[in-house]
Amino acid sequence: MKKIEKLMVANRGEIALRVMRSAREMGIKTVAIYSEADRQALHVRYADEAVCVGPPASSASYLRADVILDVCKRLGVDAIHPGYGFLSENAGFAQQVQEAGITFIGPSPEAIELMGSKLAAKAAVAQYNIPMVPGTEYAITDIEEAKVIATNIGFPILIKASAGGGGKGMRVVERVSEFEEQMQLAVSEATSAFGDGSVFIEKYIGSPRHIEIQVLGDTHGNIVHLFERECSIQRRHQKVIEEAPSAVLTPELRDQMGRCAVDVAKACNYVGAGTVEFLLDENLNFYFLEMNTRLQVEHPVTEQITGLDLVKEQILVAQGAPLSFAQEDLTINGHALELRVYAEDPTNNFLPDIGTLTTYKRPQGLGVRVDDGFEEGMEIPIYYDPMIAKLVTFGKDRQEAIDKMIRAIDEYQITGIETTLPFGRFVMEHEAFRSGNFDTKFINRYFQDPSVLKPSPAPEEEEIAAVLAALFAGKAKKTTFTPSAAAVTPTGGMSDWRKNRMK
């Protein structure tokens, strides 16, 4: 087994710190890279060595493969962990790393490239009879031919432009009588936007759940799955809250999806940690969506329910070690939740709210984990993803994990910027989430009035000011103060006035 002595983390923030901590426990020295905007970042101070790789913009720093490899050569780095984002799913970078004689902690360049193409990925897994969303396997422009295909698939169907994305050239068709008109509109829009009017047709899954399966493979042909994660609470198609296990999967369905995920990994000879993503419809039918060939942001919830350190497992696999466990050795223990704490304003369409962490105090206690890369007084850079931290809670069951999450959100003190913490509390207390009866349209369906997160209006402050004035005037005995209903927060146990004074 080839022992890794010095590891570079080609990333930043909380994931860089998270990888470095596991590496340190394994006796591996670490190298951090940073942009000029991250000069004082925690991952820079934690690493054994750190090198600036360029200006703040990621294109001039964290995405500069040539500079990163040059640093590796100069410092004698023998392995690179890419984290997630940036160059983590760049097949060309993985190839360059290998050619430089450096171990890439991840799958092969071939696997990254294959799974990076949705059409190629579907073709590769077809031999394993993986359930797919019914639809065409090729682009089409002929309306009559398309209508026949759509009818065979069954309405509602989705028409999608083959040459682009962003919702352009995309139409949901509910019934056959609408098909011709919607097809013409989709073709016209696709032609206008991309210069190509060809489209794909597939079954429309209106309210799916997003379920993903964690897989792990070694260089000896062993591949296992580490159960599922529920990732259906999303804004702008990006996850905000994840949990493991899912509230709706039966043991039989879990086994089915797990076996399919392993087959997907086999289709590309997968090595390392990866995630196979599925859509689950209202009838609990599941369909292969794609594979992410890297560690996921939400991997901590899997670690909590399995007791495994996925980063350590990645490193061991990269060193050539076989997996130390088989599928039958793995069991689910308890329940875990993760809230991505973003510097975003949920009451303003989740738009970024960049600024300084005037107050930053983490929650603590049994069953609470915070993965972050910031401390009080630091600024959230405008150049990167606005995620501040991942707040993770773990309990013996789902209800206990939810209770711990609510407590942790209340303890988490952040001022200077707006965050997704209040939204997280809203979700934890919502009946749809508590019952498990939700899907990817949770925000559209239940968060139409973001004012529910706004602090109570200020009248109670005026009332309190009147009482204080009376006290100073020596009239306290004649004044009786009864707080308004808005001043009392039953769930928090404290008025907004008092909370604001404590910040």
Side-chain angles (χ1 to χ4, degrees):
M1 187 173 80
K2 179 185 177 183
K3 180 72 168 67
I4 293 172
E5 302 289 344
K6 184 182 284 191
L7 170 68
M8 171 190 280
V9 183
N11 217 294
R12 62 179 296 277
E14 59 85 18
I15 185 57
L17 267 174
R18 188 264 167 278
V19 172
M20 289 175 188
R21 288 189 172 115
S22 288
R24 179 170 289 186
E25 290 176 13
M26 298 175 76
I28 299 172
K29 293 187 179 299
T30 58
V31 175
I33 59 171
Y34 62 93
S35 72
E36 292 171 359
D38 281 337
R39 190 172 295 275
Q40 299 302 318
L42 296 187
H43 77 281
V44 175
R45 286 180 266 163
Y46 188 88
D48 295 297
E49 298 175 86
V51 178
C52 181
V53 290
S58 56
S59 59
S61 52
Y62 295 107
L63 292 174
R64 286 292 303 273
D66 55 339
V67 176
I68 291 170
L69 288 171
D70 180 63
V71 171
C72 288
K73 292 173 184 175
R74 285 193 287 115
L75 298 185
V77 168
D78 51 13
I80 291 178
H81 193 300
Y84 40 69
F86 295 135
L87 295 168
S88 63
E89 291 182 285
N90 186 308
F93 176 65
Q95 185 67 44
Q96 287 178 273
V97 171
Q98 285 190 0
E99 291 174 354
I102 299 169
T103 299
F104 181 76
I105 299 182
S108 67
E110 293 77 18
I112 295 174
E113 185 171 12
L114 178 63
M115 289 296 145
S117 166
K118 288 183 173 59
L119 285 178
K122 288 182 177 181
V125 305
Q127 60 179 308
Y128 292 95
N129 296 317
I130 307 295
M132 306 277 191
V133 177
T136 60
E137 298 178 0
Y138 54 89
I140 189 170
T141 55
D142 185 273
I143 293 178
E144 289 305 316
E145 181 186 356
K147 185 187 292 186
V148 172
I149 294 172
T151 302
N152 290 335
I153 292 172
F155 291 88
I157 59 97
L158 183 65
I159 302 173
K160 295 196 300 185
S162 64
K168 293 186 181 353
M170 184 180 294
R171 290 286 188 280
V172 176
V173 186
E174 298 286 347
R175 54 190 64 86
V176 67
S177 60
E178 302 172 356
F179 182 82
E180 189 167 335
E181 179 185 3
Q182 294 300 318
M183 175 79 172
Q184 289 174 339
L185 288 171
V187 170
S188 176
E189 191 173 79
T191 302
S192 176
F194 312 115
D196 182 351
S198 55
V199 297
F200 288 96
I201 296 173
E202 64 184 30
K203 180 71 176 176
Y204 176 65
I205 302 175
S207 299
R209 297 177 79 111
H210 189 143
I211 306 289
E212 60 187 30
I213 307 288
Q214 178 73 60
V215 295
L216 189 65
D218 63 21
T219 56
H220 303 271
N222 303 305
I223 300 176
V224 299
H225 71 82
L226 308 180
F227 312 111
E228 82 279 2
R229 295 186 288 256
E230 170 83 58
C231 307
S232 298
I233 306 295
Q234 305 177 1
R235 54 94 176 93
R236 295 193 293 275
H237 303 292
Q238 188 174 29
K239 305 160 191 172
V240 184
I241 294 173
E242 302 97 353
E243 62 179 311
S246 168
V248 296
L249 261 61
T250 62
E252 294 76 20
L253 185 55
R254 176 174 296 116
D255 183 63
Q256 271 186 283
M257 295 181 74
R259 289 175 185 273
C260 283
V262 168
D263 284 341
V264 170
K266 288 178 179 177
C268 62
N269 298 313
Y270 200 82
V271 171
T275 302
V276 181
E277 305 203 355
F278 297 93
L279 294 180
L280 186 73
D281 69 18
E282 61 272 18
N283 298 315
L284 299 185
N285 299 307
F286 65 91
Y287 307 96
F288 171 67
L289 183 63
E290 63 182 353
M291 183 177 193
N292 290 308
T293 54
R294 54 172 168 78
L295 197 65
Q296 292 280 87
V297 174
E298 58 273 18
H299 75 273
V301 294
T302 296
E303 294 183 323
Q304 296 297 134
I305 67 166
T306 61
L308 295 171
D309 182 325
L310 289 180
V311 172
K312 285 184 179 179
E313 295 299 330
Q314 283 185 298
I315 293 173
L316 289 170
V317 165
Q319 291 181 148
L323 296 180
S324 61
F325 47 84
Q327 189 68 59
E328 55 268 23
D329 299 323
L330 298 167
T331 58
I332 295 175
N333 175 36
H335 199 97
L337 292 165
E338 175 179 292
L339 168 64
R340 300 189 189 190
V341 184
Y342 284 107
E344 294 179 347
D345 184 356
T347 67
N348 189 23
N349 198 31
F350 292 90
L351 292 178
D353 190 50
I354 306 302
T356 301
L357 295 172
T358 307
T359 305
Y360 187 74
K361 299 187 186 305
R362 304 170 185 85
Q364 299 181 18
L366 185 65
V368 177
R369 166 179 171 177
V370 179
D371 285 14
D372 64 5
F374 291 95
E375 61 186 6
E376 194 166 277
M378 292 180 67
E379 289 190 4
I380 309 297
I382 64 173
Y383 309 98
Y384 317 113
D385 185 273
M387 189 169 70
I388 301 170
K390 299 183 305 194
L391 175 58
V392 182
T393 58
F394 175 74
K396 66 179 183 297
D397 54 32
R398 189 170 188 263
Q399 186 57 55
E400 184 171 278
I402 290 174
D403 293 341
K404 287 181 182 290
M405 180 61 77
I406 292 173
R407 187 263 295 175
I409 289 171
D410 287 347
E411 287 184 7
Y412 215 143
Q413 297 180 43
I414 302 178
T415 64
I417 55 171
E418 298 294 332
T419 74
T420 50
L421 285 169
F423 173 75
R425 198 181 211 286
F426 170 85
V427 174
M428 294 299 127
E429 294 180 331
H430 200 283
E431 178 56 29
F433 183 79
R434 285 176 172 269
S435 68
N437 184 26
F438 61 93
D439 52 46
T440 54
K441 291 188 175 180
F442 179 93
I443 289 178
N444 292 338
R445 191 170 287 130
Y446 303 115
F447 198 56
Q448 291 299 313
D449 183 15
S451 65
V452 296
L453 302 187
K454 288 288 189 184
S456 302
E460 71 272 16
E461 294 197 28
E462 296 176 5
E463 296 172 297
I464 293 169
V467 172
L468 294 176
L471 286 170
F472 284 116
K475 300 177 182 178
K477 292 182 180 179
K478 299 180 183 179
T479 306
T480 301
F481 171 65
T482 303
S484 66
V488 180
T489 310
T491 53
M494 185 184 298
S495 72
D496 288 321
W497 178 84
R498 186 177 296 275
K499 285 182 181 177
N500 291 335
R501 293 304 180 274
M502 293 176 66
K503 288 179 180 178

